[in-house]
Amino acid sequence: MFTAASTTHRRNTIPRPHQSGLQEIIETRLWLEEHDWLYRLLRSETNVSPTFRFPDLISACVSQVFALPDAPTRIFRFLGTELVLRSPQTPRRRESMWRNQYQLLQELQRSPANRHPNPKFQLDQLTTACVALCRMPDPLGTSVLQQARLNMVERSQLERLTASG
Protein backbone atom coordinates (compact mmCIF):
# COMPACT_ATOMS: atom_id res chain seq x y z
CA MET A 1 0.00 0.00 0.00
CA PHE A 2 1.15 3.53 -0.62
CA THR A 3 1.74 6.31 1.82
CA ALA A 4 1.60 9.98 0.99
CA ALA A 5 4.89 11.83 0.64
CA SER A 6 4.86 15.58 1.08
CA THR A 7 7.48 17.17 -1.10
CA THR A 8 7.54 19.67 -3.89
CA HIS A 9 10.51 18.11 -5.68
CA ARG A 10 9.70 15.08 -7.78
CA ARG A 11 13.28 13.88 -7.64
CA ASN A 12 12.95 13.46 -3.86
CA THR A 13 10.10 10.99 -4.06
CA ILE A 14 10.09 7.29 -4.67
CA PRO A 15 8.62 6.61 -8.12
CA ARG A 16 5.14 5.17 -7.84
CA PRO A 17 3.53 3.13 -10.61
CA HIS A 18 0.22 4.93 -10.21
CA GLN A 19 0.20 8.46 -8.81
CA SER A 20 -3.60 8.64 -8.99
CA GLY A 21 -4.00 7.72 -5.33
CA LEU A 22 -5.54 4.32 -6.04
CA GLN A 23 -4.43 1.56 -3.75
CA GLU A 24 -2.55 -1.14 -5.58
CA ILE A 25 -3.65 -3.81 -3.10
CA ILE A 26 -7.37 -4.53 -2.79
CA GLU A 27 -8.98 -6.41 0.08
CA THR A 28 -10.89 -9.58 -0.65
CA ARG A 29 -11.99 -12.62 1.28
CA LEU A 30 -11.35 -16.29 0.69
CA TRP A 31 -13.41 -19.23 1.81
CA LEU A 32 -11.57 -21.28 4.40
CA GLU A 33 -10.75 -24.34 2.30
CA GLU A 34 -9.03 -22.28 -0.40
CA HIS A 35 -7.36 -20.01 2.15
CA ASP A 36 -5.88 -23.04 3.92
CA TRP A 37 -4.50 -24.36 0.63
CA LEU A 38 -2.89 -21.02 -0.19
CA TYR A 39 -1.50 -20.81 3.34
CA ARG A 40 0.16 -24.21 2.87
CA LEU A 41 1.57 -22.97 -0.43
CA LEU A 42 2.78 -19.77 1.25
CA ARG A 43 4.63 -21.87 3.86
CA SER A 44 5.88 -24.55 1.46
CA GLU A 45 9.56 -25.04 0.83
CA THR A 46 8.95 -24.37 -2.87
CA ASN A 47 7.87 -20.76 -2.15
CA VAL A 48 11.38 -19.27 -2.04
CA SER A 49 13.55 -16.71 -3.81
CA PRO A 50 11.40 -14.64 -3.47
CA THR A 51 8.80 -15.77 -0.98
CA PHE A 52 5.44 -14.76 -2.36
CA ARG A 53 2.74 -13.51 -0.02
CA PHE A 54 -1.04 -13.73 -0.22
CA PRO A 55 -1.59 -10.81 -2.66
CA ASP A 56 0.84 -12.48 -5.07
CA LEU A 57 -0.64 -15.95 -4.66
CA ILE A 58 -4.27 -14.89 -4.98
CA SER A 59 -3.47 -12.68 -7.95
CA ALA A 60 -1.56 -15.52 -9.58
CA CYS A 61 -4.63 -17.74 -9.28
CA VAL A 62 -6.84 -15.07 -10.84
CA SER A 63 -4.34 -14.47 -13.67
CA GLN A 64 -3.98 -18.16 -14.33
CA VAL A 65 -7.72 -18.75 -14.59
CA PHE A 66 -8.31 -15.65 -16.72
CA ALA A 67 -5.58 -16.77 -19.13
CA LEU A 68 -7.93 -19.57 -20.19
CA PRO A 69 -10.23 -18.78 -23.11
CA ASP A 70 -13.34 -19.93 -21.24
CA ALA A 71 -12.51 -18.41 -17.84
CA PRO A 72 -15.99 -16.98 -17.09
CA THR A 73 -17.64 -20.29 -17.97
CA ARG A 74 -15.26 -22.25 -15.72
CA ILE A 75 -15.70 -19.82 -12.83
CA PHE A 76 -19.50 -19.78 -12.98
CA ARG A 77 -19.61 -23.56 -13.44
CA PHE A 78 -17.57 -24.00 -10.24
CA LEU A 79 -19.74 -21.49 -8.40
CA GLY A 80 -22.98 -23.08 -9.59
CA THR A 81 -22.01 -26.69 -9.02
CA GLU A 82 -19.57 -26.76 -6.11
CA LEU A 83 -19.41 -23.56 -4.09
CA VAL A 84 -23.19 -23.25 -4.00
CA LEU A 85 -23.35 -26.57 -2.12
CA ARG A 86 -21.18 -25.27 0.73
CA SER A 87 -22.75 -23.65 3.75
CA PRO A 88 -23.24 -19.90 3.22
CA GLN A 89 -21.89 -19.49 6.77
CA THR A 90 -18.53 -20.98 5.80
CA PRO A 91 -15.81 -18.86 7.42
CA ARG A 92 -13.84 -16.53 5.22
CA ARG A 93 -10.40 -15.04 5.73
CA ARG A 94 -9.56 -11.47 4.87
CA GLU A 95 -6.68 -11.19 2.41
CA SER A 96 -5.53 -8.94 -0.43
CA MET A 97 -4.83 -9.09 -4.13
CA TRP A 98 -3.24 -6.77 -6.67
CA ARG A 99 -5.47 -4.22 -8.39
CA ASN A 100 -5.00 -5.64 -11.91
CA GLN A 101 -6.49 -8.98 -10.93
CA TYR A 102 -9.20 -7.33 -8.85
CA GLN A 103 -10.29 -5.46 -11.98
CA LEU A 104 -10.67 -8.75 -13.86
CA LEU A 105 -12.94 -10.07 -11.13
CA GLN A 106 -14.85 -6.80 -10.92
CA GLU A 107 -15.61 -6.95 -14.65
CA LEU A 108 -16.84 -10.51 -14.23
CA GLN A 109 -18.95 -9.50 -11.26
CA ARG A 110 -20.61 -6.82 -13.39
CA SER A 111 -21.09 -9.11 -16.39
CA PRO A 112 -24.48 -10.31 -17.66
CA ALA A 113 -23.64 -13.80 -16.37
CA ASN A 114 -23.88 -12.41 -12.83
CA ARG A 115 -27.19 -10.57 -13.34
CA HIS A 116 -30.85 -11.48 -13.21
CA PRO A 117 -32.10 -14.14 -13.86
CA ASN A 118 -28.77 -15.72 -12.82
CA PRO A 119 -27.68 -15.84 -9.19
CA LYS A 120 -25.51 -12.97 -8.01
CA PHE A 121 -22.05 -13.94 -6.81
CA GLN A 122 -19.86 -11.65 -4.72
CA LEU A 123 -16.14 -10.89 -4.96
CA ASP A 124 -15.19 -13.42 -2.28
CA GLN A 125 -16.96 -16.17 -4.19
CA LEU A 126 -15.31 -15.23 -7.50
CA THR A 127 -11.88 -15.05 -5.84
CA THR A 128 -12.44 -18.39 -4.12
CA ALA A 129 -13.45 -19.97 -7.43
CA CYS A 130 -10.18 -18.88 -9.05
CA VAL A 131 -8.12 -20.35 -6.22
CA ALA A 132 -10.11 -23.59 -6.30
CA LEU A 133 -9.75 -23.87 -10.08
CA CYS A 134 -5.97 -23.58 -9.72
CA ARG A 135 -5.77 -26.06 -6.86
CA MET A 136 -7.70 -28.85 -8.64
CA PRO A 137 -5.22 -29.64 -11.43
CA ASP A 138 -2.12 -28.65 -9.42
CA PRO A 139 -2.43 -29.50 -5.70
CA LEU A 140 1.23 -28.56 -5.09
CA GLY A 141 0.70 -25.07 -6.49
CA THR A 142 3.75 -25.14 -8.78
CA SER A 143 1.94 -23.31 -11.57
CA VAL A 144 0.64 -20.69 -9.12
CA LEU A 145 4.18 -19.88 -7.99
CA GLN A 146 5.31 -19.64 -11.62
CA GLN A 147 2.39 -17.31 -12.41
CA ALA A 148 3.30 -15.18 -9.37
CA ARG A 149 6.76 -14.73 -10.88
CA LEU A 150 5.28 -13.73 -14.23
CA ASN A 151 2.92 -11.25 -12.55
CA MET A 152 5.86 -9.75 -10.65
CA VAL A 153 7.77 -9.22 -13.88
CA GLU A 154 4.71 -7.64 -15.47
CA ARG A 155 4.24 -5.24 -12.52
CA SER A 156 7.94 -4.32 -12.62
CA GLN A 157 7.77 -3.57 -16.34
CA LEU A 158 4.63 -1.48 -15.86
CA GLU A 159 6.29 0.45 -13.02
CA ARG A 160 9.32 1.13 -15.23
CA LEU A 161 7.12 2.36 -18.08
CA THR A 162 5.06 4.55 -15.77
CA ALA A 163 8.14 6.00 -14.08
CA SER A 164 9.77 6.85 -17.40
CA GLY A 165 6.56 8.27 -18.90
Side-chain angles (χ1 to χ4, degrees):
M1 291 188 220
F2 294 117
T3 58
S6 59
T7 181
T8 56
H9 303 290
R10 183 163 172 80
R11 67 184 186 291
N12 292 337
T13 63
I14 298 171
R16 303 286 187 209
H18 300 284
Q19 295 287 337
S20 65
L22 295 175
Q23 285 186 339
E24 291 307 306
I25 299 291
I26 306 297
E27 185 178 290
T28 189
R29 292 179 187 266
L30 274 178
W31 289 43
L32 196 55
E33 187 176 331
E34 285 70 23
H35 181 275
D36 289 349
W37 179 73
L38 277 185
Y39 184 78
R40 287 191 302 275
L41 182 56
L42 174 82
R43 297 302 222 182
S44 82
E45 59 190 38
T46 58
N47 185 17
V48 294
S49 298
T51 300
F52 293 105
R53 295 190 172 95
F54 267 97
D56 300 307
L57 299 175
I58 293 170
S59 294
C61 290
V62 173
S63 293
Q64 202 169 11
V65 170
F66 275 85
L68 302 170
D70 59 345
T73 302
R74 288 175 186 244
I75 291 169
F76 284 114
R77 184 180 309 126
F78 173 83
L79 293 170
T81 60
E82 296 194 38
L83 197 70
V84 75
L85 295 176
R86 296 185 193 176
S87 168
Q89 281 73 41
T90 298
R92 284 125 168 114
R93 297 285 186 248
R94 185 178 297 173
E95 292 299 341
S96 301
M97 74 173 87
W98 290 96
R99 176 171 289 282
N100 288 347
Q101 287 72 29
Y102 163 75
Q103 289 172 331
L104 293 171
L105 293 176
Q106 188 177 45
E107 287 175 25
L108 185 61
Q109 189 177 19
R110 294 176 176 165
S111 73
N114 203 34
R115 288 192 215 135
H116 182 74
N118 301 313
K120 180 180 179 183
F121 292 102
Q122 300 299 325
L123 179 63
D124 69 311
Q125 295 162 320
L126 298 170
T127 306
T128 297
C130 289
V131 174
L133 290 169
C134 289
R135 183 184 68 177
M136 287 178 200
D138 183 15
L140 297 178
T142 307
S143 63
V144 172
L145 293 173
Q146 180 59 31
Q147 185 64 53
R149 292 177 186 284
L150 295 172
N151 286 359
M152 184 177 170
V153 169
E154 185 179 309
R155 280 192 312 276
S156 295
Q157 290 172 342
L158 183 60
E159 287 176 18
R160 196 171 324 138
L161 285 173
T162 305
S164 67

